[in-house]
Amino acid sequence: MRPSTGNRGETVPTVPPANPAVDAAEVAALLDRGRTLSTPVLRAAVDRLAKPMDTVAAYHFGWIDALGRPADGDGGKAVRPALALLSAEAAGAPPETGIPGAVAVELVHNFSLLHDDLMDGDEQRRHRDTVWKVHGPAQAILVGDALFALAGEVLLELGTVEAGRATRRLTVATRKLIDGQAQDISYEHRERVTVEECLEMEGNKTGALLACSASIGAVLGGADDATADALEAYGHHLGLAFQAVDDLLGIWGDPEATGKQTWSDLRQRKKSLPVVAALAAGGRASERLGELLTADAKSQDLDAFSEEEFAARAALIEEAGGRDWTAQEARRQHAVAIGALDRVDMPPRVRAQLTALADFVVVRKR
Amino acid sequence: MRPSTGNRGETVPTVPPANPAVDAAEVAALLDRGRTLSTPVLRAAVDRLAKPMDTVAAYHFGWIDALGRPADGDGGKAVRPALALLSAEAAGAPPETGIPGAVAVELVHNFSLLHDDLMDGDEQRRHRDTVWKVHGPAQAILVGDALFALAGEVLLELGTVEAGRATRRLTVATRKLIDGQAQDISYEHRERVTVEECLEMEGNKTGALLACSASIGAVLGGADDATADALEAYGHHLGLAFQAVDDLLGIWGDPEATGKQTWSDLRQRKKSLPVVAALAAGGRASERLGELLTADAKSQDLDAFSEEEFAARAALIEEAGGRDWTAQEARRQHAVAIGALDRVDMPPRVRAQLTALADFVVVRKR
């Protein structure tokens, strides 16, 4: 099938649903439950921070605006807390058992956002100026550090053996996340990155923490290692599907929905999946794309590029098959994730909900 | 006693020894043992980092130079590893029990150095260019994050209940360390800081991690909370003594010994103990200092100041009694630290060694 040359901003699903049975209301309820149960504990943890870090963190989470006034900001999709609570239920524990895990993964996730936005020079996140833009680089570094430390505190103050196991898994995941960011940065300065390298980076940067989110509630609920590992596998592949969709949205996403600039990933020279797949595909469009990106790499400032110049690159990526390949990869990883759930004996309702969340990840527009 | 107007760079002890019995050779042997036993484990941990973070970290620790060639750099005084091993012995365990703790506190300490140097704009550390100067801000952030995560990994992979307790204490200490850095930064932008605020900041920034260093080996060795708390108190007050000496060296230290610029803390508008004590003292010199620093606060760039202008400020701090007060504070904290050891039943040799380390801290020149 020849890929369409659809414009950025169109509202067709990014990845045509392999499973059209996604119940939007059920997913919304799951995400809402995760947010509702974890946010008060998250806010109490953040309130422990010394001034002015508490305020900076509250701004980052969208609880206050840049002037310190209460706000009802967009705190993100909250996929991770929803997974943490479901994972407790997958191990036969009540969802509440997963709350400290949900809070800990959200703290680590937001630690990485604060630092990554600064390192990447990203000025916007969730439709608002990023912390380093508003409060300066030092606060972005410090508050990120503090959220990371808080994550360990929230888990370890439980004082249980399970909390120690959960913290260990979270720490390993965090290191992978950092490895992934290091790879991501180094790839931006390299002319060519293989599809395998890109997948490894994305597995670290996105897969590891989703893997931890999908298992941490079970670990806190006393699950054995085999159960935790199977749930981790589900989360890891879900993360790869999630990131493939993110890579599509990073080029063809609607800025109104994503809260990012148009052609965000192209502006940042990200060697994301559609780009590396297009470059690896061969053929006229692939070669032309390679020539353009090689020339771009020598340019100091892509911000001077017009919308049309980015659009031309996106069209070549699509023509070379990078968009289609990435959509297929999202579906493939989605299927592997669902398959991993077969290794865990869990209540049918929980299995259906974990499946619905996985479906949501591949059809989302933000 | 009217304080002398001694010049920076003179080699008299920073704080005249309250206890002249410090055995330099014994202290050197203790520091050397800490370094010798912990460094191979530290290097193995750092080797786990993804490229190029392993290289950046190796540069930071002084194991390689900026071109990647093996080096035998100055890895710091290594007070923390020495304390961690002694603390294991204080609890009746062999010194080796403290090694993972020694490595973990060194990782956290160096995480904070990497981030603080970037936030503070410090270009030199241990006689070499800082990581952000050589490898850029992103690597300083990333490698700092990675070292922090590694610290938790090194402890938690022990898989014991004691390791969980040790990690919890380390996490709490790390949060205090971050609080202290936040206070330090905010004080630089305030005209007046009280002596109490400065001591609180220094307790967080330096006391917390030394408290953890002095107790983590004991915790890993199975010590009860009362023992761990008493060793923490020793380390906390030792940290305050350490920082008071650091504040003296930050103004009057010999750059050859400290590896920092002349008048380092004055250049950075640090509201360190000698400064806040001098401002709180009242009298002619105190008032004149206040006027100068108020005027300086409006100046964009202290780097344009001549050596004489910094020397004039240092002389006023000394004349107002800030130097003497800080030296006395170091001795007072030293005495409280030694006193805390009375609450722990430990082998006399270990008690003598912990005392010798405390003595060293107040007479050091770097």
Side-chain angles (χ1 to χ4, degrees), chain A residues 239-287:
Chain A
L240 283 168
F242 186 99
Q243 189 58 51
V245 173
D246 236 42
D247 286 355
L248 292 168
L249 294 173
I251 299 179
W252 295 282
D254 176 2
E256 290 279 317
T258 61
K260 295 180 183 172
Q261 282 184 286
T262 55
W263 319 112
S264 169
D265 285 358
L266 297 181
R267 289 177 196 279
Q268 288 173 40
R269 311 169 201 261
K270 290 258 180 219
K271 300 290 190 300
S272 66
L273 274 185
V275 176
V276 297
L279 290 173
R284 200 199 59 81
S286 174
E287 282 163 24

Side-chain angles (χ1 to χ4, degrees), chain A residues 11 134 332:
Chain A
T11 53
V134 176
R332 199 183 71 79

Side-chain angles (χ1 to χ4, degrees), chain A residues 53 115 145 149 153 171 175, chain B residues 115 145 149 153 171 175 179:
Chain A
M53 294 188 292
H115 284 189
D145 292 345
E153 240 177 281
T171 306
R175 268 243 297 123
Chain B
H115 284 188
D145 292 346
E153 242 177 281
T171 306
R175 268 242 297 123
D179 283 357

